[in-house]
Amino acid sequence: MNTAGGGDVPAHTGLDLAPFRGLRYDPDRVGSLAAVTSPPYDVVVRPDGLLHLESADPHNIVRLILPQAATPAARTKQAAETLRRWLAEGVLRTDTEPGLYVYEQRGGGVLQRGLIGALRVSEPSEGVVLPHEDVMPHVVADRAALMRATCANLEPLLLTYRGNGSETGATAVVERTVERLPLLATTTEDGFSHRLWSVTDPDALAEIRADLARQQALIADGHHRWATYVRLRAEHTSPSPWDYGLVLLVDTARYPLRVRAIHRLLHRLPVAEALSALDGLFRVRDLHLPLPDALEVLADAACAGNAYLLAGDGAFHLVDQPSPDLLARTVPADRPQAWRTLDATVLHAALLEHVWRIPEDSPQHIAYIHDTAATVEKAERDGGTAVLMHPVREEVVRALARQGVTMPRKSTSFGPKPASGLVLRALEL
């Protein structure tokens, strides 16, 4: 059995999910397991959410995934020093035996189970792991610096595949494993319960390996971290632990994911100015409704074409029915129709680039936020514009990915996302 610590790396046409020695919190050294977990780094709403997590427990994982210091170099150095200190103090301990980890999340009427392991890193051109969104170079550079400094995969990204419902294979092992007592169980403040089991039996690992070797995965969440894995693998001579990256792999034929939108916060664009620039280019209707009702109006409008909600001035403004001439002038014509009509495509190609002239990769001008209410609140507080989006269907995402067509960055939010802090992967162990 190949493990993620090195050794010969055979050629593969499918997924290679390798066992590893998980790095986990010692529950006797922290206040509670729930208090040291965090959402993924890009879901934490700064600064409010960051301060809340930091105050929950002095060992909260956010101190590693979002270290706070004056400069990027100081931040990565701080994360590395914090990780070394926690290891020396026994706050984090390494499991004695390599394994895969079955991970269960339950809450809000959702049950999700999958496998956490070290997945062999591959280029998109290999067709094994399919991205569906573009990435921002500065974010990849930031994550790469953090991983280099800590020599660790600090949180798993979320990948999906479509199993065939067989009575054997990866999903069958998952279902058998959850009948046992878990390694850990905790409930986070969002009401979700989390349970984790280890799979170390050679026969079970072989059963998983044989099944996944025939599968293709879609990146559901974590495009920047996957791009980081690809970059770091290229920096090291193979074979090495950097040939693999930490993932949660979910069979969505068994456990379908929820797909939500990722909203935009335009820091330096007041709502009045944003609306004025749309004259003659989009239809604009003011909605004096509470947020849930406004989102329902958005959902209805999105069924007929491109539609967005603008907020930040105490009201909601439905923006829809873009000018055909504007779309013809701004949306690239060399992509499939399904891509050209995406809300995110029209937003970035027509609105951000040509109408509002906002650079989409500048943190000073634009933020990408998963939480709808938080996006509106921040816009109202800061005098900016919130652009609320309607989610894309999973089948559209998967169909475009199989054609090798990437969507605009931050187009979708799949969930539930794995909690950070339950199991880490140290590359030096």
Side-chain angles (χ1 to χ4, degrees):
M1 177 65 61
N2 185 33
T3 64
D8 293 335
V9 181
H12 287 277
T13 56
L15 303 173
D16 176 13
L17 191 69
F20 70 105
R21 295 173 62 202
L23 191 61
R24 297 189 292 113
Y25 281 98
D26 182 342
D28 295 330
R29 301 298 303 273
V30 298
S32 72
L33 290 175
V36 295
T37 64
S38 164
Y41 80 98
D42 58 339
V43 180
V44 177
V45 179
R46 292 186 256 191
D48 309 21
L50 182 66
L51 294 174
H52 175 72
L53 291 164
E54 286 183 332
S55 63
D57 189 284
H59 301 106
N60 189 283
I61 190 68
V62 78
R63 297 181 186 275
L64 298 182
I65 62 175
L66 284 174
Q68 298 300 294
T71 66
R75 288 195 291 270
T76 56
K77 180 181 178 183
Q78 178 178 294
E81 291 174 347
T82 300
L83 178 57
R84 283 195 294 269
R85 185 173 69 253
W86 289 357
L87 288 168
E89 295 172 351
V91 173
L92 288 167
R93 296 183 180 275
T94 308
D95 286 338
T96 57
E97 191 175 357
L100 299 177
Y101 295 84
V102 171
Y103 176 42
E104 176 189 274
Q105 296 163 274
R106 186 191 297 265
V110 174
L111 172 64
Q112 179 173 286
R113 291 171 178 155
L115 285 164
I116 294 177
L119 186 68
R120 188 182 72 89
V121 177
S122 59
E123 296 279 355
S125 59
E126 297 178 53
V128 177
V129 175
L130 303 176
H132 70 266
E133 289 183 358
D134 292 331
V135 297
M136 292 174 275
H138 75 275
V139 178
V140 175
D142 175 75
R143 291 296 100 183
L146 183 64
M147 288 189 204
R148 287 191 203 99
T150 58
C151 203
N153 299 151
L154 300 173
E155 48 183 348
L157 52 86
L158 176 62
L159 272 63
T160 73
Y161 74 101
R162 301 287 293 178
N164 59 11
S166 171
E167 294 183 1
T168 61
T171 300
V173 172
V174 168
E175 298 305 314
R176 295 199 303 267
T177 301
V178 298
E179 298 299 320
R180 299 192 274 109
L181 289 175
L183 287 176
L184 64 85
T186 190
T187 300
T188 45
E189 64 179 8
D190 59 4
F192 269 80
S193 65
H194 307 261
R195 297 198 294 170
L196 194 76
W197 296 259
S198 63
V199 179
T200 58
D201 176 71
D203 291 338
L205 293 174
E207 184 178 346
I208 293 169
R209 185 181 182 86
D211 181 19
L212 295 182
R214 301 187 293 267
Q215 302 290 348
Q216 178 188 60
L218 174 74
I219 301 175
D221 184 71
H223 283 79
H224 290 90
R225 282 168 285 165
W226 185 259
T228 301
Y229 291 166
V230 173
R231 173 182 293 191
L232 294 175
R233 182 190 67 165
E235 294 177 1
H236 295 80
T237 302
S238 184
S240 84
W242 297 93
D243 292 336
Y244 293 81
L246 188 64
V247 307
L248 167 63
L249 192 59
V250 174
D251 175 3
T252 52
R254 179 71 178 85
Y255 296 106
L257 286 115
R258 296 180 302 186
V259 186
R260 292 179 173 173
I262 302 177
H263 310 296
R264 276 66 171 158
L265 175 59
L266 310 181
H267 297 298
R268 300 179 180 180
L269 182 68
V271 175
E273 186 177 330
L275 293 173
S276 175
L278 299 180
D279 186 36
L281 301 176
F282 282 78
R283 181 176 68 169
V284 178
R285 288 179 285 166
D286 297 336
L287 305 177
H288 297 283
L289 299 169
L291 177 57
D293 294 342
L295 290 173
E296 287 188 11
V297 175
L298 172 63
D300 290 340
C303 292
N306 302 118
Y308 315 90
L309 274 183
L310 270 55
D313 61 351
F316 296 103
H317 311 273
L318 181 68
V319 174
D320 64 353
Q321 296 188 9
S323 157
D325 176 66
L326 173 68
L327 299 183
R329 287 188 290 108
T330 59
V331 177
D334 60 346
R335 304 287 184 90
Q337 178 71 6
W339 180 89
R340 296 173 61 222
T341 55
L342 289 170
D343 287 338
T345 297
V346 173
L347 173 64
H348 284 257
L351 283 170
L352 292 181
E353 182 174 351
H354 288 276
V355 177
W356 293 328
R357 300 192 180 280
I358 292 175
E360 61 179 350
D361 58 355
S362 170
Q364 291 76 34
H365 290 85
I366 186 169
Y368 299 84
I369 303 178
H370 295 72
D371 186 275
T372 308
T375 310
V376 175
E377 291 167 7
K378 282 181 172 293
E380 292 179 344
R381 184 172 65 234
D382 301 339
T385 295
V387 182
L388 306 183
M389 312 277 287
H390 186 67
V392 183
R393 300 191 314 277
E394 181 181 357
E395 55 266 32
V396 173
V397 176
R398 193 175 294 274
L400 286 171
R402 284 179 173 156
Q403 297 176 60
V405 177
T406 54
M407 300 166 66
R409 58 196 59 172
K410 298 291 183 182
S411 292
T412 58
S413 175
F414 284 86
K417 304 177 190 304
S420 299
L422 296 179
V423 60
L424 293 67
R425 176 179 174 248
L427 278 78
E428 292 180 333
L429 298 175

